[in-house]
Amino acid sequence: MKQYGFYLDVTRCAGCRACQIACKDTNRLNVGTFFRRVRSFETGEFPHPGVWHLSESCHHCDHPACAAACPVGRIVKDGETGLVVFDAEVKCLGEHCQRCVRACPYRHPVYIPARGEVGKCGGCPDSLREGRSPACVESCMMRALKFGPVDELREKYGPDAVTALPCFPDGGTGSNFLIRPNSAARESVFEEKHY
């Protein structure tokens, strides 16, 4: 089985949120619900300020805490792609459970009140079957976001790709979300901004 995942080049990300909008549109999400969210951070002080953006969704972990926490076995690893997906045959316990939401160290998945169930990024399986990338990747104007087999992403982008930063700790689940940070992203003093 190949393990698929995402790669984000922070040095290229402009924080435009096109990926976030494409994800919301593809998944038909209501206002306030996100499967991909762009977070912005400010670091440093005058005369050397820094800013960077983090486009983040499910990490499609090797050992997903959300799957381990699900009491009905709805969250599974796809046998072909390694993506963390939902078993369509299993009903979510929804509002009365949300164990997967609380278990995820990266704040994914999310409870969707209008649907009465939990949802998350599944890697746009329809697009993958058609040989295309997920909607978020295809919408990235700066080409900062990539998707594919993690081994190939690591080989292509090398040692600059990390899975943890000071504002973004390692969740211990075997994240398959690789990040190429800029110098501001490596700063230990930061403030998250909500633009």
Side-chain angles (χ1 to χ4, degrees):
M1 169 184 78
K2 282 192 175 180
Q3 174 63 59
Y4 281 68
F6 289 99
Y7 169 82
L8 173 67
D9 185 343
V10 170
T11 68
R12 297 179 66 103
C13 181
C16 70
R17 291 167 172 72
C19 56
Q20 181 175 295
I21 294 165
C23 178
K24 282 182 74 65
D25 184 53
T26 299
N27 291 289
R28 300 178 188 273
L29 300 175
N30 291 336
V31 172
T33 302
F34 301 92
F35 290 173
R36 174 167 291 281
R37 183 180 291 266
V38 176
R39 299 166 58 199
S40 299
F41 298 90
E42 289 183 2
T43 62
E45 295 180 359
F46 179 82
H48 304 290
V51 66
W52 67 284
H53 310 283
L54 178 71
S55 173
E56 181 190 14
S57 69
C58 177
H59 291 220
H60 299 288
C61 302
D62 292 333
H63 310 287
C66 58
C70 181
V72 295
R74 181 174 180 246
I75 304 172
V76 296
K77 294 274 286 179
D78 180 77
E80 291 181 31
T81 63
L83 296 175
V84 179
V85 297
F86 292 117
D87 182 337
E89 302 296 316
V90 179
K91 179 158 176 50
C92 179
L93 298 177
E95 180 181 12
H96 304 293
C97 180
Q98 299 184 50
R99 290 182 189 173
C100 58
V101 174
R102 292 187 299 275
C104 178
Y106 302 109
R107 300 186 296 178
H108 305 281
V110 296
Y111 176 64
I112 307 169
R115 297 181 189 171
E117 65 182 12
V118 170
K120 60 176 270 327
C121 164
C124 290
D126 292 339
S127 295
L128 297 182
R129 279 190 286 276
E130 295 169 3
R132 296 182 298 123
S133 292
C136 57
V137 175
E138 289 191 346
S139 70
C140 182
M141 296 177 287
M142 302 304 289
R143 302 294 178 246
L145 197 56
K146 308 288 183 194
F147 178 82
V150 173
D151 288 344
E152 292 176 21
L153 294 173
R154 284 186 201 282
E155 185 177 324
K156 183 173 183 176
Y157 299 108
D160 288 341
V162 299
T163 58
L165 293 166
C167 72
F168 186 73
D170 183 349
T173 56
S175 171
N176 289 299
F177 173 50
L178 307 175
I179 308 162
R180 178 184 177 205
N182 63 6
S183 58
R186 296 182 188 276
E187 296 288 327
S188 59
V189 178
F190 57 86
E191 180 180 353
E192 185 169 358
K193 303 304 271 186
H194 302 280
Y195 299 118

PDB file of all heavy atoms in Angstrom, residues 3-33:
ATOM      1  N   GLN A   3       1.278   5.201   0.819  1.00  0.00           N
ATOM      2  CA  GLN A   3       0.706   6.166   1.750  1.00  0.00           C
ATOM      3  C   GLN A   3       0.709   7.531   1.090  1.00  0.00           C
ATOM      4  O   GLN A   3       1.766   8.067   0.782  1.00  0.00           O
ATOM      5  CB  GLN A   3       1.497   6.205   3.056  1.00  0.00           C
ATOM      6  CG  GLN A   3       1.053   7.296   4.015  1.00  0.00           C
ATOM      7  CD  GLN A   3      -0.380   7.108   4.494  1.00  0.00           C
ATOM      8  OE1 GLN A   3      -0.709   6.089   5.092  1.00  0.00           O
ATOM      9  NE2 GLN A   3      -1.241   8.084   4.233  1.00  0.00           N
ATOM     10  N   TYR A   4      -0.463   8.082   0.855  1.00  0.00           N
ATOM     11  CA  TYR A   4      -0.580   9.410   0.262  1.00  0.00           C
ATOM     12  C   TYR A   4      -0.656  10.466   1.351  1.00  0.00           C
ATOM     13  O   TYR A   4      -1.045  10.187   2.491  1.00  0.00           O
ATOM     14  CB  TYR A   4      -1.831   9.494  -0.624  1.00  0.00           C
ATOM     15  CG  TYR A   4      -1.651   8.857  -1.975  1.00  0.00           C
ATOM     16  CD1 TYR A   4      -1.509   7.476  -2.102  1.00  0.00           C
ATOM     17  CD2 TYR A   4      -1.605   9.623  -3.124  1.00  0.00           C
ATOM     18  CE1 TYR A   4      -1.334   6.886  -3.337  1.00  0.00           C
ATOM     19  CE2 TYR A   4      -1.433   9.041  -4.374  1.00  0.00           C
ATOM     20  CZ  TYR A   4      -1.299   7.674  -4.468  1.00  0.00           C
ATOM     21  OH  TYR A   4      -1.112   7.103  -5.698  1.00  0.00           O
ATOM     22  N   GLY A   5      -0.273  11.690   0.992  1.00  0.00           N
ATOM     23  CA  GLY A   5      -0.337  12.792   1.931  1.00  0.00           C
ATOM     24  C   GLY A   5      -0.141  14.122   1.220  1.00  0.00           C
ATOM     25  O   GLY A   5      -0.066  14.188  -0.009  1.00  0.00           O
ATOM     26  N   PHE A   6      -0.055  15.181   2.018  1.00  0.00           N
ATOM     27  CA  PHE A   6       0.080  16.539   1.497  1.00  0.00           C
ATOM     28  C   PHE A   6       1.469  17.106   1.800  1.00  0.00           C
ATOM     29  O   PHE A   6       2.110  16.727   2.773  1.00  0.00           O
ATOM     30  CB  PHE A   6      -0.957  17.467   2.142  1.00  0.00           C
ATOM     31  CG  PHE A   6      -2.359  17.215   1.688  1.00  0.00           C
ATOM     32  CD1 PHE A   6      -3.219  16.454   2.463  1.00  0.00           C
ATOM     33  CD2 PHE A   6      -2.833  17.746   0.494  1.00  0.00           C
ATOM     34  CE1 PHE A   6      -4.522  16.224   2.049  1.00  0.00           C
ATOM     35  CE2 PHE A   6      -4.131  17.527   0.076  1.00  0.00           C
ATOM     36  CZ  PHE A   6      -4.987  16.758   0.855  1.00  0.00           C
ATOM     37  N   TYR A   7       1.882  18.040   0.958  1.00  0.00           N
ATOM     38  CA  TYR A   7       3.120  18.807   1.152  1.00  0.00           C
ATOM     39  C   TYR A   7       2.768  20.278   0.971  1.00  0.00           C
ATOM     40  O   TYR A   7       2.083  20.645   0.018  1.00  0.00           O
ATOM     41  CB  TYR A   7       4.167  18.396   0.116  1.00  0.00           C
ATOM     42  CG  TYR A   7       5.376  19.299   0.050  1.00  0.00           C
ATOM     43  CD1 TYR A   7       6.426  19.150   0.950  1.00  0.00           C
ATOM     44  CD2 TYR A   7       5.465  20.303  -0.906  1.00  0.00           C
ATOM     45  CE1 TYR A   7       7.543  19.985   0.886  1.00  0.00           C
ATOM     46  CE2 TYR A   7       6.576  21.138  -0.978  1.00  0.00           C
ATOM     47  CZ  TYR A   7       7.610  20.972  -0.079  1.00  0.00           C
ATOM     48  OH  TYR A   7       8.703  21.793  -0.136  1.00  0.00           O
ATOM     49  N   LEU A   8       3.213  21.114   1.906  1.00  0.00           N
ATOM     50  CA  LEU A   8       2.985  22.553   1.821  1.00  0.00           C
ATOM     51  C   LEU A   8       4.317  23.284   1.853  1.00  0.00           C
ATOM     52  O   LEU A   8       5.096  23.120   2.789  1.00  0.00           O
ATOM     53  CB  LEU A   8       2.116  23.038   2.989  1.00  0.00           C
ATOM     54  CG  LEU A   8       1.948  24.556   3.095  1.00  0.00           C
ATOM     55  CD1 LEU A   8       1.152  25.110   1.915  1.00  0.00           C
ATOM     56  CD2 LEU A   8       1.298  24.946   4.414  1.00  0.00           C
ATOM     57  N   ASP A   9       4.553  24.105   0.834  1.00  0.00           N
ATOM     58  CA  ASP A   9       5.744  24.950   0.784  1.00  0.00           C
ATOM     59  C   ASP A   9       5.345  26.321   1.331  1.00  0.00           C
ATOM     60  O   ASP A   9       4.740  27.129   0.634  1.00  0.00           O
ATOM     61  CB  ASP A   9       6.244  25.070  -0.658  1.00  0.00           C
ATOM     62  CG  ASP A   9       7.553  25.841  -0.759  1.00  0.00           C
ATOM     63  OD1 ASP A   9       7.919  26.560   0.205  1.00  0.00           O
ATOM     64  OD2 ASP A   9       8.205  25.736  -1.812  1.00  0.00           O
ATOM     65  N   VAL A  10       5.657  26.548   2.597  1.00  0.00           N
ATOM     66  CA  VAL A  10       5.289  27.800   3.266  1.00  0.00           C
ATOM     67  C   VAL A  10       5.944  29.003   2.592  1.00  0.00           C
ATOM     68  O   VAL A  10       5.390  30.098   2.587  1.00  0.00           O
ATOM     69  CB  VAL A  10       5.654  27.733   4.774  1.00  0.00           C
ATOM     70  CG1 VAL A  10       5.529  29.085   5.454  1.00  0.00           C
ATOM     71  CG2 VAL A  10       4.768  26.708   5.475  1.00  0.00           C
ATOM     72  N   THR A  11       7.109  28.795   1.974  1.00  0.00           N
ATOM     73  CA  THR A  11       7.797  29.906   1.310  1.00  0.00           C
ATOM     74  C   THR A  11       7.026  30.408   0.098  1.00  0.00           C
ATOM     75  O   THR A  11       7.272  31.512  -0.381  1.00  0.00           O
ATOM     76  CB  THR A  11       9.229  29.510   0.870  1.00  0.00           C
ATOM     77  OG1 THR A  11       9.160  28.540  -0.175  1.00  0.00           O
ATOM     78  CG2 THR A  11      10.026  28.961   2.042  1.00  0.00           C
ATOM     79  N   ARG A  12       6.097  29.620  -0.401  1.00  0.00           N
ATOM     80  CA  ARG A  12       5.300  30.006  -1.564  1.00  0.00           C
ATOM     81  C   ARG A  12       3.871  30.411  -1.206  1.00  0.00           C
ATOM     82  O   ARG A  12       3.202  31.091  -1.977  1.00  0.00           O
ATOM     83  CB  ARG A  12       5.238  28.852  -2.563  1.00  0.00           C
ATOM     84  CG  ARG A  12       6.575  28.471  -3.142  1.00  0.00           C
ATOM     85  CD  ARG A  12       6.424  27.314  -4.101  1.00  0.00           C
ATOM     86  NE  ARG A  12       5.660  27.718  -5.261  1.00  0.00           N
ATOM     87  CZ  ARG A  12       6.177  27.997  -6.452  1.00  0.00           C
ATOM     88  NH1 ARG A  12       7.477  27.900  -6.628  1.00  0.00           N
ATOM     89  NH2 ARG A  12       5.423  28.344  -7.454  1.00  0.00           N
ATOM     90  N   CYS A  13       3.356  29.964  -0.061  1.00  0.00           N
ATOM     91  CA  CYS A  13       1.957  30.205   0.306  1.00  0.00           C
ATOM     92  C   CYS A  13       1.712  31.686   0.599  1.00  0.00           C
ATOM     93  O   CYS A  13       2.386  32.284   1.434  1.00  0.00           O
ATOM     94  CB  CYS A  13       1.571  29.370   1.518  1.00  0.00           C
ATOM     95  SG  CYS A  13      -0.149  29.582   2.016  1.00  0.00           S
ATOM     96  N   ALA A  14       0.737  32.263  -0.106  1.00  0.00           N
ATOM     97  CA  ALA A  14       0.407  33.685   0.054  1.00  0.00           C
ATOM     98  C   ALA A  14      -0.748  33.897   1.027  1.00  0.00           C
ATOM     99  O   ALA A  14      -1.143  35.027   1.288  1.00  0.00           O
ATOM    100  CB  ALA A  14       0.053  34.288  -1.302  1.00  0.00           C
ATOM    101  N   GLY A  15      -1.317  32.832   1.550  1.00  0.00           N
ATOM    102  CA  GLY A  15      -2.437  32.969   2.478  1.00  0.00           C
ATOM    103  C   GLY A  15      -3.723  33.418   1.807  1.00  0.00           C
ATOM    104  O   GLY A  15      -4.594  33.990   2.445  1.00  0.00           O
ATOM    105  N   CYS A  16      -3.880  33.117   0.521  1.00  0.00           N
ATOM    106  CA  CYS A  16      -5.049  33.595  -0.234  1.00  0.00           C
ATOM    107  C   CYS A  16      -6.327  32.842   0.109  1.00  0.00           C
ATOM    108  O   CYS A  16      -7.418  33.324  -0.160  1.00  0.00           O
ATOM    109  CB  CYS A  16      -4.781  33.510  -1.735  1.00  0.00           C
ATOM    110  SG  CYS A  16      -4.703  31.824  -2.374  1.00  0.00           S
ATOM    111  N   ARG A  17      -6.194  31.655   0.664  1.00  0.00           N
ATOM    112  CA  ARG A  17      -7.311  30.814   1.080  1.00  0.00           C
ATOM    113  C   ARG A  17      -8.118  30.206  -0.065  1.00  0.00           C
ATOM    114  O   ARG A  17      -9.242  29.748   0.127  1.00  0.00           O
ATOM    115  CB  ARG A  17      -8.210  31.546   2.070  1.00  0.00           C
ATOM    116  CG  ARG A  17      -7.517  31.765   3.404  1.00  0.00           C
ATOM    117  CD  ARG A  17      -8.208  32.748   4.318  1.00  0.00           C
ATOM    118  NE  ARG A  17      -7.609  32.785   5.644  1.00  0.00           N
ATOM    119  CZ  ARG A  17      -6.436  33.316   5.948  1.00  0.00           C
ATOM    120  NH1 ARG A  17      -5.679  33.846   5.007  1.00  0.00           N
ATOM    121  NH2 ARG A  17      -5.985  33.312   7.184  1.00  0.00           N
ATOM    122  N   ALA A  18      -7.564  30.194  -1.271  1.00  0.00           N
ATOM    123  CA  ALA A  18      -8.246  29.547  -2.399  1.00  0.00           C
ATOM    124  C   ALA A  18      -8.444  28.062  -2.116  1.00  0.00           C
ATOM    125  O   ALA A  18      -9.482  27.492  -2.469  1.00  0.00           O
ATOM    126  CB  ALA A  18      -7.456  29.746  -3.687  1.00  0.00           C
ATOM    127  N   CYS A  19      -7.473  27.424  -1.466  1.00  0.00           N
ATOM    128  CA  CYS A  19      -7.578  26.007  -1.128  1.00  0.00           C
ATOM    129  C   CYS A  19      -8.724  25.757  -0.150  1.00  0.00           C
ATOM    130  O   CYS A  19      -9.478  24.788  -0.281  1.00  0.00           O
ATOM    131  CB  CYS A  19      -6.261  25.505  -0.539  1.00  0.00           C
ATOM    132  SG  CYS A  19      -5.681  26.425   0.902  1.00  0.00           S
ATOM    133  N   GLN A  20      -8.862  26.642   0.804  1.00  0.00           N
ATOM    134  CA  GLN A  20      -9.918  26.543   1.812  1.00  0.00           C
ATOM    135  C   GLN A  20     -11.295  26.664   1.159  1.00  0.00           C
ATOM    136  O   GLN A  20     -12.211  25.905   1.459  1.00  0.00           O
ATOM    137  CB  GLN A  20      -9.699  27.647   2.848  1.00  0.00           C
ATOM    138  CG  GLN A  20     -10.683  27.690   3.986  1.00  0.00           C
ATOM    139  CD  GLN A  20     -10.290  28.752   4.997  1.00  0.00           C
ATOM    140  OE1 GLN A  20      -9.255  28.653   5.638  1.00  0.00           O
ATOM    141  NE2 GLN A  20     -11.119  29.766   5.151  1.00  0.00           N
ATOM    142  N   ILE A  21     -11.424  27.609   0.238  1.00  0.00           N
ATOM    143  CA  ILE A  21     -12.688  27.833  -0.462  1.00  0.00           C
ATOM    144  C   ILE A  21     -13.005  26.657  -1.380  1.00  0.00           C
ATOM    145  O   ILE A  21     -14.149  26.182  -1.434  1.00  0.00           O
ATOM    146  CB  ILE A  21     -12.638  29.154  -1.253  1.00  0.00           C
ATOM    147  CG1 ILE A  21     -12.544  30.326  -0.279  1.00  0.00           C
ATOM    148  CG2 ILE A  21     -13.849  29.302  -2.164  1.00  0.00           C
ATOM    149  CD1 ILE A  21     -12.141  31.635  -0.919  1.00  0.00           C
ATOM    150  N   ALA A  22     -12.008  26.145  -2.108  1.00  0.00           N
ATOM    151  CA  ALA A  22     -12.222  25.007  -3.002  1.00  0.00           C
ATOM    152  C   ALA A  22     -12.683  23.782  -2.223  1.00  0.00           C
ATOM    153  O   ALA A  22     -13.568  23.046  -2.666  1.00  0.00           O
ATOM    154  CB  ALA A  22     -10.945  24.690  -3.778  1.00  0.00           C
ATOM    155  N   CYS A  23     -12.095  23.571  -1.053  1.00  0.00           N
ATOM    156  CA  CYS A  23     -12.478  22.450  -0.200  1.00  0.00           C
ATOM    157  C   CYS A  23     -13.923  22.609   0.276  1.00  0.00           C
ATOM    158  O   CYS A  23     -14.714  21.664   0.222  1.00  0.00           O
ATOM    159  CB  CYS A  23     -11.524  22.347   0.984  1.00  0.00           C
ATOM    160  SG  CYS A  23     -11.956  21.024   2.139  1.00  0.00           S
ATOM    161  N   LYS A  24     -14.274  23.802   0.739  1.00  0.00           N
ATOM    162  CA  LYS A  24     -15.643  24.046   1.204  1.00  0.00           C
ATOM    163  C   LYS A  24     -16.639  23.821   0.077  1.00  0.00           C
ATOM    164  O   LYS A  24     -17.697  23.214   0.275  1.00  0.00           O
ATOM    165  CB  LYS A  24     -15.797  25.478   1.741  1.00  0.00           C
ATOM    166  CG  LYS A  24     -15.231  25.678   3.125  1.00  0.00           C
ATOM    167  CD  LYS A  24     -15.453  27.074   3.639  1.00  0.00           C
ATOM    168  CE  LYS A  24     -16.855  27.362   4.050  1.00  0.00           C
ATOM    169  NZ  LYS A  24     -17.358  26.616   5.196  1.00  0.00           N
ATOM    170  N   ASP A  25     -16.309  24.287  -1.125  1.00  0.00           N
ATOM    171  CA  ASP A  25     -17.207  24.148  -2.265  1.00  0.00           C
ATOM    172  C   ASP A  25     -17.360  22.677  -2.661  1.00  0.00           C
ATOM    173  O   ASP A  25     -18.471  22.188  -2.857  1.00  0.00           O
ATOM    174  CB  ASP A  25     -16.679  24.969  -3.439  1.00  0.00           C
ATOM    175  CG  ASP A  25     -17.605  24.943  -4.628  1.00  0.00           C
ATOM    176  OD1 ASP A  25     -18.800  25.253  -4.447  1.00  0.00           O
ATOM    177  OD2 ASP A  25     -17.150  24.607  -5.739  1.00  0.00           O
ATOM    178  N   THR A  26     -16.255  21.963  -2.760  1.00  0.00           N
ATOM    179  CA  THR A  26     -16.275  20.558  -3.160  1.00  0.00           C
ATOM    180  C   THR A  26     -17.065  19.710  -2.173  1.00  0.00           C
ATOM    181  O   THR A  26     -17.811  18.812  -2.562  1.00  0.00           O
ATOM    182  CB  THR A  26     -14.840  20.020  -3.283  1.00  0.00           C
ATOM    183  OG1 THR A  26     -14.166  20.766  -4.292  1.00  0.00           O
ATOM    184  CG2 THR A  26     -14.813  18.548  -3.625  1.00  0.00           C
ATOM    185  N   ASN A  27     -16.912  19.996  -0.894  1.00  0.00           N
ATOM    186  CA  ASN A  27     -17.571  19.208   0.152  1.00  0.00           C
ATOM    187  C   ASN A  27     -18.917  19.780   0.591  1.00  0.00           C
ATOM    188  O   ASN A  27     -19.529  19.255   1.507  1.00  0.00           O
ATOM    189  CB  ASN A  27     -16.630  19.046   1.350  1.00  0.00           C
ATOM    190  CG  ASN A  27     -15.466  18.154   1.018  1.00  0.00           C
ATOM    191  OD1 ASN A  27     -15.618  16.956   0.859  1.00  0.00           O
ATOM    192  ND2 ASN A  27     -14.284  18.751   0.871  1.00  0.00           N
ATOM    193  N   ARG A  28     -19.335  20.871  -0.058  1.00  0.00           N
ATOM    194  CA  ARG A  28     -20.630  21.507   0.217  1.00  0.00           C
ATOM    195  C   ARG A  28     -20.814  21.780   1.718  1.00  0.00           C
ATOM    196  O   ARG A  28     -21.796  21.366   2.324  1.00  0.00           O
ATOM    197  CB  ARG A  28     -21.771  20.655  -0.315  1.00  0.00           C
ATOM    198  CG  ARG A  28     -21.693  20.430  -1.807  1.00  0.00           C
ATOM    199  CD  ARG A  28     -22.801  19.544  -2.303  1.00  0.00           C
ATOM    200  NE  ARG A  28     -22.611  19.174  -3.688  1.00  0.00           N
ATOM    201  CZ  ARG A  28     -23.023  19.881  -4.731  1.00  0.00           C
ATOM    202  NH1 ARG A  28     -23.641  21.019  -4.550  1.00  0.00           N
ATOM    203  NH2 ARG A  28     -22.817  19.449  -5.945  1.00  0.00           N
ATOM    204  N   LEU A  29     -19.832  22.498   2.265  1.00  0.00           N
ATOM    205  CA  LEU A  29     -19.831  22.785   3.698  1.00  0.00           C
ATOM    206  C   LEU A  29     -20.491  24.125   3.982  1.00  0.00           C
ATOM    207  O   LEU A  29     -20.310  25.090   3.243  1.00  0.00           O
ATOM    208  CB  LEU A  29     -18.396  22.792   4.219  1.00  0.00           C
ATOM    209  CG  LEU A  29     -17.632  21.481   4.041  1.00  0.00           C
ATOM    210  CD1 LEU A  29     -16.188  21.646   4.482  1.00  0.00           C
ATOM    211  CD2 LEU A  29     -18.302  20.352   4.802  1.00  0.00           C
ATOM    212  N   ASN A  30     -21.218  24.168   5.090  1.00  0.00           N
ATOM    213  CA  ASN A  30     -21.887  25.403   5.512  1.00  0.00           C
ATOM    214  C   ASN A  30     -20.886  26.395   6.082  1.00  0.00           C
ATOM    215  O   ASN A  30     -19.739  26.050   6.396  1.00  0.00           O
ATOM    216  CB  ASN A  30     -22.946  25.097   6.573  1.00  0.00           C
ATOM    217  CG  ASN A  30     -24.125  24.334   6.004  1.00  0.00           C
ATOM    218  OD1 ASN A  30     -24.403  24.403   4.809  1.00  0.00           O
ATOM    219  ND2 ASN A  30     -24.819  23.608   6.860  1.00  0.00           N
ATOM    220  N   VAL A  31     -21.332  27.620   6.261  1.00  0.00           N
ATOM    221  CA  VAL A  31     -20.512  28.676   6.864  1.00  0.00           C
ATOM    222  C   VAL A  31     -20.006  28.202   8.230  1.00  0.00           C
ATOM    223  O   VAL A  31     -20.756  27.631   9.018  1.00  0.00           O
ATOM    224  CB  VAL A  31     -21.341  29.972   7.029  1.00  0.00           C
ATOM    225  CG1 VAL A  31     -20.573  31.015   7.816  1.00  0.00           C
ATOM    226  CG2 VAL A  31     -21.743  30.511   5.665  1.00  0.00           C
ATOM    227  N   GLY A  32     -18.725  28.405   8.471  1.00  0.00           N
ATOM    228  CA  GLY A  32     -18.129  28.048   9.759  1.00  0.00           C
ATOM    229  C   GLY A  32     -17.592  26.633   9.849  1.00  0.00           C
ATOM    230  O   GLY A  32     -16.959  26.276  10.838  1.00  0.00           O
ATOM    231  N   THR A  33     -17.825  25.796   8.850  1.00  0.00           N
ATOM    232  CA  THR A  33     -17.326  24.422   8.845  1.00  0.00           C
ATOM    233  C   THR A  33     -16.215  24.306   7.811  1.00  0.00           C
ATOM    234  O   THR A  33     -16.381  24.716   6.670  1.00  0.00           O
ATOM    235  CB  THR A  33     -18.456  23.424   8.508  1.00  0.00           C
ATOM    236  OG1 THR A  33     -19.508  23.573   9.463  1.00  0.00           O
ATOM    237  CG2 THR A  33     -17.956  21.993   8.542  1.00  0.00           C
TER     238      THR A  33
END
